[in-house]
Amino acid sequence: MSKHSPEGKPKEPKLNSPSGAFSIAGDEHFAALSELLDRVSMDSTQLFDHCLNLLVAQLKAQRAIMTRITDLGFEPFWWAHDPDVTMGGAVEADCAGLSSRVMDHPRRALVVRNIQEDPTWAQDPECKRLGICAFIGMALRESGQTTGVLSVHFPTPRAFTKGELALVNAVVNLLSKTLEVESLRAELRMTKDALDLTSAVVEDSALSSGQTGLPNVRYLDVWLKANLYMARRKGEGMAVLVWKLFKSDDTKGLLSLMNALRGEDLLVDLGRDQVLALLPRTEMGGVFAMMDRLEPWLGKRHIGATLWHPKLDDPQLQRALARAQEALKTADGGPGLYWKLLPEG
């Protein structure tokens, strides 16, 4: 029967078990994990590989698969399997539905001891096709948020011991912490890139427009790689504004406008007398408030505006930029903001 274990994690084995059999099995599993940690390096990919192969070897499993949750669903990104068992379509199957079962109760372990005797699993076509007779699934977490699933497939029905479940839980905790560290490293790298770029634009004329003194599209490309990655990861939107330069606009006035923006905002010379303003973490109300504050520098002009959506728009800003430019092109009234937003639904 399958169940989501009522505790958040399996209890660790008691060493004074009357029979002694459980403590020996539990000791054996954790001794293997301890040995692995003694010889594994700080390389996270090596740790992933060793941990999943440890589960396969110690538990005599068919496969162990890690999947991450993305905007498009589950994405398997690391796995190991018994040498006598092929992966087959296991990666696709895990992506298609096996991992999602764990998300019904992500704070509990999903344990299926005998798939054939479980009415919710017996007719599962993927389990039949892959010869899965038992299953363990546990959620991976980063900073308290569920970010993926570790699933383990077994070729025969299993009465899992507490030691076996505790081993899987220990590996899940270790992998979760490793993934969290890797995410922090990626964020630090992105932040460093953004800071380096901010410094470089002052020193490298190739990153700024000779006509206006503003950052150019080359600067924009690198800025997007750093900032849109973070925005998509955190689910933060961004306002996108476009307007035409007046003949009276000069370098001094444009640089003063850029200095009047918030430190995280960006003003870019797109060429062809167009200026782009990117305002991270800013919704429509924030744009109106900012335009009132910037009116002394902007004056009266038509401005095309849209909101970049971190989950629905492309990560290169092309769709959002096209909407803002279309809004500017079709502006047919007096000076002000003209919006073209993503269609609802």
Side-chain angles (χ1 to χ4, degrees), residues 49 52-53 56-57 61-65 78-88 90 153:
D49 199 43
L52 297 190
N53 277 294
V56 170
Q62 291 171 297
R63 313 169 188 89
I65 304 175
W78 214 271
W79 54 82
H81 62 92
D82 185 291
D84 296 329
V85 176
T86 63
M87 287 301 292
H153 306 167

Side-chain angles (χ1 to χ4, degrees), residues 151-182:
S151 56
V152 190
H153 306 167
F154 296 89
T156 58
R158 293 285 295 271
F160 298 107
T161 67
K162 291 182 179 180
E164 290 171 336
L165 295 177
L167 174 67
V168 178
N169 186 73
V171 169
V172 163
N173 289 335
L174 177 60
L175 294 174
S176 294
K177 289 299 181 184
T178 305
L179 289 168
E180 187 172 334
V181 169
E182 287 303 307

Side-chain angles (χ1 to χ4, degrees), residues 191-203 207 219 223 263:
T191 301
K192 182 179 182 299
D193 289 345
L195 291 173
D196 289 346
L197 189 57
T198 301
S199 301
V201 74
V202 178
E203 303 169 1
L207 296 176
Y219 181 101
W223 187 92

Side-chain angles (χ1 to χ4, degrees), residues 238-279:
M238 178 166 54
V240 180
L241 312 177
V242 176
W243 63 82
K244 299 282 288 185
L245 287 170
F246 291 156
K247 291 183 178 180
S248 59
D249 290 328
D250 58 19
T251 300
K252 183 178 179 180
L254 288 168
L255 293 178
S256 296
L257 173 60
M258 186 166 64
N259 291 333
L261 295 170
R262 301 170 303 178
E264 62 185 335
D265 299 331
L266 179 66
L267 211 59
V268 178
D269 184 344
L270 292 177
R272 299 184 180 180
D273 296 328
Q274 276 196 353
V275 173
L276 167 69
L278 299 178
L279 312 177

Side-chain angles (χ1 to χ4, degrees), residues 62-338:
Q62 291 171 297
R63 313 169 188 89
I65 304 175
M66 282 199 296
T67 59
R68 61 166 63 95
I69 301 172
T70 72
D71 294 341
L72 301 178
F74 286 93
E75 176 191 31
F77 67 97
W78 214 271
W79 54 82
H81 62 92
D82 185 291
D84 296 329
V85 176
T86 63
M87 287 301 292
V91 170
E92 293 80 2
D94 221 78
C95 184
L98 296 183
S99 288
S100 64
R101 305 282 191 94
V102 181
M103 292 297 96
D104 291 340
H105 301 283
R107 294 188 177 277
R108 304 175 183 175
L110 175 59
V111 180
V112 187
R113 295 179 172 83
N114 189 336
I115 282 177
Q116 294 303 317
E117 295 181 356
D118 192 307
T120 62
W121 286 79
Q123 302 305 316
D124 188 282
E126 299 297 345
C127 291
K128 289 182 177 180
R129 182 169 62 87
L130 297 169
I132 301 173
C133 293
F135 178 89
I136 297 176
M138 294 187 187
L140 298 165
R141 295 179 175 277
E142 296 178 41
S143 301
Q145 300 295 316
T146 300
T147 58
V149 170
L150 172 67
S151 56
V152 190
H153 306 167
F154 296 89
T156 58
R158 293 285 295 271
F160 298 107
T161 67
K162 291 182 179 180
E164 290 171 336
L165 295 177
L167 174 67
V168 178
N169 186 73
V171 169
V172 163
N173 289 335
L174 177 60
L175 294 174
S176 294
K177 289 299 181 184
T178 305
L179 289 168
E180 187 172 334
V181 169
E182 287 303 307
S183 295
L184 289 172
R185 283 179 179 172
E187 290 182 13
L188 288 172
R189 283 195 297 269
M190 290 294 183
T191 301
K192 182 179 182 299
D193 289 345
L195 291 173
D196 289 346
L197 189 57
T198 301
S199 301
V201 74
V202 178
E203 303 169 1
D204 188 352
S205 60
L207 296 176
S208 61
S209 165
Q211 179 183 357
T212 62
L214 296 177
N216 59 17
V217 291
R218 180 180 172 188
Y219 181 101
L220 175 64
D221 287 341
V222 185
W223 187 92
L224 290 175
K225 290 178 182 177
N227 288 272
L228 289 198
Y229 167 84
M230 292 297 295
R232 288 172 67 84
R233 188 171 186 273
K234 295 181 178 180
E236 296 173 343
M238 178 166 54
V240 180
L241 312 177
V242 176
W243 63 82
K244 299 282 288 185
L245 287 170
F246 291 156
K247 291 183 178 180
S248 59
D249 290 328
D250 58 19
T251 300
K252 183 178 179 180
L254 288 168
L255 293 178
S256 296
L257 173 60
M258 186 166 64
N259 291 333
L261 295 170
R262 301 170 303 178
E264 62 185 335
D265 299 331
L266 179 66
L267 211 59
V268 178
D269 184 344
L270 292 177
R272 299 184 180 180
D273 296 328
Q274 276 196 353
V275 173
L276 167 69
L278 299 178
L279 312 177
R281 299 186 296 110
T282 305
E283 297 297 329
M284 188 178 289
V287 174
F288 284 110
M290 187 164 289
M291 289 300 100
D292 289 340
R293 185 165 63 84
L294 298 179
E295 187 174 347
W297 290 275
L298 281 173
K300 301 292 185 181
R301 67 182 76 207
H302 296 77
I303 300 175
T306 192
L307 298 176
W308 176 81
H309 194 290
K311 293 187 177 180
L312 302 179
D313 272 311
D314 64 282
Q316 285 77 41
L317 202 77
Q318 295 302 315
R319 290 177 61 192
L321 179 57
R323 290 197 302 273
Q325 290 175 323
E326 185 179 349
L328 176 63
K329 183 179 180 182
T330 57
D332 56 2
L337 286 166
Y338 289 83

Side-chain angles (χ1 to χ4, degrees), residues 6-61:
E7 294 103 0
K9 59 183 180 181
K11 295 180 180 178
E12 292 195 5
K14 294 181 180 179
L15 298 181
N16 58 351
S17 171
S19 66
F22 168 64
S23 61
I24 293 173
D27 288 347
E28 176 187 342
H29 293 319
F30 283 99
L33 181 58
S34 177
E35 181 183 349
L36 180 150
L37 294 176
D38 284 341
R39 59 188 172 86
V40 76
S41 74
M42 293 301 291
D43 182 356
S44 59
T45 59
Q46 188 181 92
L47 182 65
F48 294 160
D49 199 43
H50 284 321
C51 280
L52 297 190
N53 277 294
L54 174 77
L55 290 179
V56 170
Q58 287 295 119
L59 304 181
K60 296 181 174 55

